[in-house]
Amino acid sequence: MLSMGFGENRTVRALRAVQYESLERAIAWLENHENDPDIDDPVGESCGNVLGSSATPGQTASVEPEEKPVELTPEQRAEKAAQLQAKIAEKKRLNEEKEKQDAIMREKIRRKEGQSLAEMREKRELDEAKLIAEERRRQKLEDQRARKAVLEKIKQDRESKLKEKEAEKKEAVPA
């Protein structure tokens, strides 16, 4: 970030604010806070290896004059800001594109699940129709057997009545 023309205090504040997660987040933080009144105030020193310091934990960095980064002109800053905005816009575009692709995949999965549910429902309805048809056939056969049994019973009753009448006639005719 120093090589990009940001001051050391700004750089340290930005990196601490994003907890040293990424350069892109630090740059985005700088863009959002560039007008803060205390952005260039000196930052207290910390222990450890921060920003390439050769100090080991528990020691403070040596106080040697460092080369100041070249301050950017307003045009250069505007150009850098435009570049950063372009990067951010590109990243947003890529994220939107990825989200669209994800939405398409989710829709395909939803449709496929819908089709499989429809196929399962259709199969269940077909199985139910087969069961109903089988039940009707079984009922028809039972009705035919019952009808045949009733007709057989009627036939037997007629025959027994004829025999009774003949027996009565034989008894009624005295010899």
Side-chain angles (χ1 to χ4, degrees):
M1 287 177 64
L2 293 172
S3 65
M4 294 174 72
F6 295 104
E8 182 176 348
N9 290 329
R10 287 176 180 244
T11 302
V12 171
R13 283 186 191 280
L15 288 171
R16 284 185 183 172
V18 298
Q19 299 175 345
Y20 301 95
E21 286 183 3
S22 74
L23 181 63
E24 292 168 346
R25 287 195 61 212
I27 291 172
W29 186 91
L30 273 174
E31 287 179 2
N32 291 332
H33 295 88
E34 67 182 340
N35 294 326
D36 289 356
D38 63 344
I39 191 80
D40 290 320
D41 289 351
V43 179
E45 289 192 27
S46 66
C47 298
N49 189 0
V50 178
L51 295 177
S53 169
S54 62
T56 58
Q59 293 180 337
T60 58
S62 62
V63 182
E64 294 179 18
E66 295 184 19
E67 278 187 38
K68 290 277 185 179
V70 178
E71 287 294 321
L72 297 176
T73 64
E75 293 84 22
Q76 290 173 327
R77 279 191 179 185
E79 182 181 333
K80 290 254 187 221
Q83 288 173 352
L84 292 174
Q85 290 295 336
K87 282 183 181 180
I88 291 170
E90 178 65 16
K91 199 161 224 183
K92 282 183 182 178
R93 186 189 64 77
L94 291 174
N95 284 340
E96 289 172 357
E97 192 173 297
K98 184 178 184 277
E99 186 61 36
K100 284 180 184 177
Q101 293 296 327
D102 290 346
I104 290 170
M105 289 302 295
R106 285 190 303 267
E107 180 64 17
K108 285 181 181 179
I109 290 169
R110 186 192 66 78
R111 285 181 181 179
K112 191 171 186 177
E113 287 174 350
Q115 287 175 348
S116 68
L117 285 174
E119 289 171 358
M120 289 172 49
R121 189 178 307 120
E122 185 177 315
K123 184 179 183 299
R124 186 184 70 227
E125 289 172 357
L126 182 63
D127 290 344
E128 287 175 1
K130 285 180 182 178
L131 287 175
I132 290 171
E134 182 63 34
E135 178 64 26
R136 284 181 183 163
R137 273 182 260 159
R138 188 185 60 74
Q139 187 66 36
K140 188 175 181 180
L141 286 174
E142 285 180 17
D143 289 348
Q144 286 176 348
R145 286 185 199 131
R147 198 174 294 128
K148 189 176 181 182
V150 167
L151 289 175
E152 188 65 35
K153 180 69 173 164
I154 291 172
K155 184 179 175 184
Q156 288 174 357
D157 286 346
R158 281 184 186 162
E159 288 176 359
S160 72
K161 282 187 180 183
L162 282 174
K163 286 181 184 177
E164 285 177 15
K165 282 184 181 181
E166 286 178 12
E168 283 179 15
K169 282 183 184 178
K170 286 183 183 177
E171 287 181 9
V173 177

